[in-house]
Amino acid sequence: MAATEDHSTTEAQSPAYYVTTPIYYVNDRPHLGHAYTTVAGDVLTRWHRQRGEKVWYLTGTDEHGQKIMRTAEANGVTPQEWCDKLVEEAWKPLWQHLDIANDDFIRTTQKRHTDRVQEFVQDLHDKGEIYKGGYEGPYCVGCEEYKLPGELLPGATEDEKLCPVHKRPVEWLEEENYFFRLSAYGTRLLEHYAANPDFIQPASARNEVLRFVEQDLKDLSISRSTFNWGVPLPWDEKHVLYVWVDALQNYITAAGYGSDPERFAELWPASVHLVGKDILRFHAVIWPAMLMAAGLPLPKRVVANGWLMVGGEKMSKSNLTGIAPTDLTSHFGVDAYRYYFLRAIPFGTDGSFSWEDFTARYTSELANDFGNLASRVAAMVGKYYEGSLPAATAAGDAEQAVVDGLKKAVEEADRKIGEELDFAGGIAAIFEFIKLVNGYLSEQEPWKVAKDTSPEGQARLATILYTSAEALRASAVLLNPLMPATAEKLWVSLGAEESLGALAAQTIATVADWGRLPAGATVTKGDILFPRLEEKPSA
Ligand code: MSP
């Protein structure tokens, strides 16, 4: 085997925190499921930016293969025209709309990708990792994957078999193909999983992969010769590269592999590949084996998210509820959308969306607990101090409880969101803190204290309002990765921009340092953060 010893990897430290999403097929428009993974990656990278780290967030589109070719044909355009249209009219605009701060957008039809892909496979070919052979078997164009006969479902007739994911008939393919010697990598993969227990997350995903690799791995067919929408194999141009082998390489081609060694050294190995659980094997088995064969370091983590479900089935292009991401954002707003899916579904497990649940969380958590707190505090600073934040001169145990609560929330949120990718848990920790501040305000009753005109009474009023505003200052920083537009509004309304500078420049390391917001800051009421919802649009 030509691969050398230098593949090992998780010890390798790239200086940047590099996060990727799957690159999505552009046979259709993005749906809630795609947006789910992309928002998660955005929150993760924004969190690390808020830590002051160097971060790189990559997303993009997977544009080759039979599925896209057929869609283009059905629409009477070339595959390239189809991809260009969908990318520019559907995919990029949605990510912009959802406030996704990706640093790069890779398309597999770009020359910067295809040239490098050809070099990569040529290298594997030269090393004897690729050989010519024949293959026949059931193929699902929806998955772009050969299926094992045992996993198929019965179809309408005796001869018909269905893909277990798409519930559509598979096709029987017989081809002369090139193969990658995947079977040679089983032991090394298992060694890698054992030495790096965090490589595949969550545990259920890791177990699934272990079980799969513990059986004998088969060599992988990596070329197709019955159609030509793909990257030609450099040594045999009658074949195009199997779309998955082409697509997986986006993570390195976008990072400067073979074109910009400095950038590549900075970005690779990736810190986290975010993937849906449906494409786990490609990322946790095939991709690492390809990297080993090429002598490149492996990504540090592959983290699988669960599926958004509709009526017990994976939400997909063929199984939509008819709800597009923009149907939800136009009703709830972009930030509530970013919040809802990550808050409601523990990352890694399947979850269902419902209008009722979204509405309930919007109203109780976002509008009542958080939005109201912000507007009440701003209103009282306006009413009692003409919008100039007073100093806290009479802090006691109740205030200390808020200070302590903040420390705990920061520690928990940082660990859960930044390290464990437990978004629901991290968001819950931040909202626990917001609840605590609400409780503090209700107990302290500043509206009553305001009637006490003694110096003690006035000092208490100032202290209560300062404490609440300072807690909101910290909340804005903690919520910035999740709900950037809302956090920014709050930041501005607290007068924090003038005194502390840009919200993006605040770091997680200093967010719990109590007293950062200076007395005298100009607090204004600003827009309501989460306005009352209109009636649910009728279907
Ligand atoms: N093009 C491949 C990925 C290549 S990566 C080198 C692909 N594309 S896809 O358009 O089908 O999108 C797959 C990803 O979208 C899933 O892995 C997942 O991250 C996301 N989701 C698609 N449907 C989803 C749900 N119903 N629920 C959650 N995520 C879903 O596969």
Side-chain angles (χ1 to χ4, degrees):
M1 186 167 18
T4 45
E5 299 314 310
D6 59 344
H7 73 274
S8 234
T9 58
T10 33
E11 307 82 50
Q13 280 305 316
S14 51
Y17 193 77
Y18 176 27
V19 177
T20 67
T21 71
I23 50 170
Y24 303 103
Y25 289 128
V26 289
N27 55 313
D28 208 339
R29 311 174 82 78
H31 61 64
L32 296 178
H34 305 121
Y36 178 58
T37 310
T38 309
V39 168
D42 191 59
V43 173
L44 178 64
T45 50
R46 283 177 186 263
W47 189 274
H48 280 263
R49 283 197 191 100
Q50 201 86 57
R51 278 185 180 177
E53 293 170 16
K54 187 159 199 176
V55 172
W56 196 257
Y57 185 33
L58 175 71
T59 190
T61 43
D62 191 351
E63 306 188 2
H64 289 130
Q66 212 163 2
K67 171 152 71 175
I68 289 172
M69 196 183 80
R70 285 185 184 172
T71 309
E73 276 165 6
N75 285 276
V77 293
T78 66
Q80 189 66 61
E81 283 165 350
W82 176 261
C83 295
D84 291 348
K85 181 176 156 68
L86 267 275
V87 167
E88 294 306 328
E89 291 178 10
W91 288 83
K92 284 185 174 173
L94 180 66
W95 299 153
Q96 205 170 7
H97 174 66
L98 294 179
D99 235 341
I100 304 300
N102 53 302
D103 298 282
D104 193 3
F105 188 102
I106 181 107
R107 300 180 51 184
T108 54
T109 51
Q110 287 167 336
K111 197 167 153 53
R112 64 167 171 155
H113 176 76
T114 54
D115 281 358
R116 301 290 87 73
V117 165
Q118 286 196 317
E119 288 161 14
F120 185 98
V121 290
Q122 181 69 55
D123 179 45
L124 294 199
H125 189 245
D126 295 346
K127 286 174 167 162
E129 297 282 344
I130 291 173
Y131 65 92
K132 199 169 187 178
Y135 195 84
E136 57 178 298
Y139 192 86
C140 171
V141 176
C143 297
E144 292 283 15
E145 187 182 18
Y146 275 109
K147 296 283 162 184
L148 299 172
E151 62 183 329
L152 301 177
L153 304 176
T157 64
E158 204 170 311
D159 290 341
E160 191 178 82
K161 295 280 181 278
L162 307 181
C163 162
V165 178
H166 291 86
K167 311 277 185 321
R168 274 188 265 147
V170 291
E171 299 172 26
W172 191 262
L173 293 190
E174 272 181 63
E175 283 190 88
E176 188 187 58
N177 282 340
Y178 286 92
F179 285 80
F180 167 55
R181 295 187 194 282
L182 182 62
S183 61
Y185 287 89
T187 310
R188 285 172 66 185
L189 286 168
L190 290 171
E191 281 167 10
H192 187 80
Y193 306 147
N196 301 278
D198 293 339
F199 179 60
I200 305 164
Q201 290 173 338
S204 53
R206 176 182 155 81
N207 291 337
E208 186 206 309
V209 170
L210 286 182
R211 276 198 306 275
F212 178 72
V213 178
E214 277 160 4
Q215 302 164 9
D216 276 346
L217 286 178
K218 304 227 173 338
D219 286 349
L220 177 73
S221 159
I222 59 146
S223 72
R224 307 290 310 277
S225 54
T226 51
F227 65 91
N228 65 359
W229 181 236
V231 179
L233 295 185
W235 64 89
D236 185 347
E237 300 226 332
K238 289 192 299 299
H239 291 252
V240 292
L241 190 61
Y242 173 42
V243 62
W244 267 101
V245 173
D246 162 2
L248 286 162
Q249 293 178 58
N250 88 87
Y251 304 128
I252 55 173
T253 59
Y257 167 75
S259 65
D260 186 345
E262 229 169 88
R263 215 161 81 81
F264 191 57
E266 186 171 62
L267 294 180
W268 195 258
S271 309
V272 179
H273 284 328
L274 287 178
V275 300
K277 66 177 187 179
D278 46 330
I279 57 172
L280 182 61
R281 285 182 196 173
F282 291 103
H283 286 82
V285 181
I286 295 174
W287 178 226
M290 284 167 59
L291 289 165
M292 285 175 177
L296 289 171
L298 307 199
K300 288 175 213 154
R301 283 204 271 174
V302 176
V303 181
N305 61 252
W307 287 345
L308 295 188
M309 309 287 279
V310 191
E313 297 268 336
K314 175 178 178 249
M315 183 179 286
S316 68
K317 282 154 195 162
S318 48
N319 178 20
L320 280 174
T321 49
I323 302 172
T326 46
D327 295 334
L328 296 183
T329 57
S330 60
H331 185 65
F332 294 101
V334 167
D335 277 358
Y337 179 98
R338 293 171 57 101
Y339 170 86
Y340 172 72
F341 289 97
L342 292 178
R343 175 67 191 91
I345 305 167
F347 205 63
T349 66
D350 294 345
S352 302
F353 155 79
S354 87
W355 279 94
E356 292 69 26
D357 187 44
F358 198 161
T359 305
R361 284 187 184 276
Y362 180 97
T363 306
S364 89
E365 294 162 15
L366 295 177
N368 292 352
D369 288 353
F370 178 47
N372 269 355
L373 174 67
S375 55
R376 276 155 80 205
V377 172
M380 286 189 281
V381 176
K383 180 166 170 193
Y384 303 125
Y385 296 96
E386 290 171 354
S388 175
L389 187 67
T393 52
D397 289 352
E399 285 69 34
Q400 191 56 45
V402 176
V403 176
D404 295 345
L406 173 61
K407 275 215 180 77
K408 179 164 169 272
V410 173
E411 184 278 318
E412 257 184 67
D414 193 30
R415 178 166 44 80
K416 291 190 167 164
I417 299 176
E419 299 303 324
E420 297 169 3
L421 279 69
D422 171 8
F423 297 101
I427 299 167
I430 300 170
F431 274 76
E432 272 308 301
F433 174 65
I434 288 167
K435 268 208 175 109
L436 182 124
V437 180
N438 269 314
Y440 165 80
L441 259 193
S442 327
E443 272 166 32
Q444 299 305 318
E445 301 182 309
W447 46 93
K448 285 193 188 154
V449 178
K451 294 185 185 132
D452 176 353
T453 52
S454 71
E456 294 76 25
Q458 290 304 297
R460 276 305 297 158
L461 178 64
T463 301
I464 298 164
L465 292 183
Y466 179 84
T467 303
S468 311
E470 172 63 352
L472 285 170
R473 185 273 309 160
S475 307
V477 177
L478 293 173
L479 290 172
N480 191 34
L482 182 66
M483 300 191 282
T486 304
E488 181 65 27
K489 280 188 202 160
L490 178 58
W491 190 249
V492 170
S493 89
L494 292 168
E497 187 89 29
E498 292 156 26
S499 45
L500 297 174
L503 176 56
Q506 312 302 309
T507 64
I508 299 295
T510 58
V511 64
D513 293 352
W514 194 258
R516 289 179 62 79
L517 191 62
T522 308
V523 178
T524 48
K525 223 174 150 198
D527 295 341
I528 292 191
L529 298 182
F530 295 97
R532 184 184 287 276
L533 294 174
E534 307 279 318
E535 285 292 296
K536 175 186 161 186
S538 48

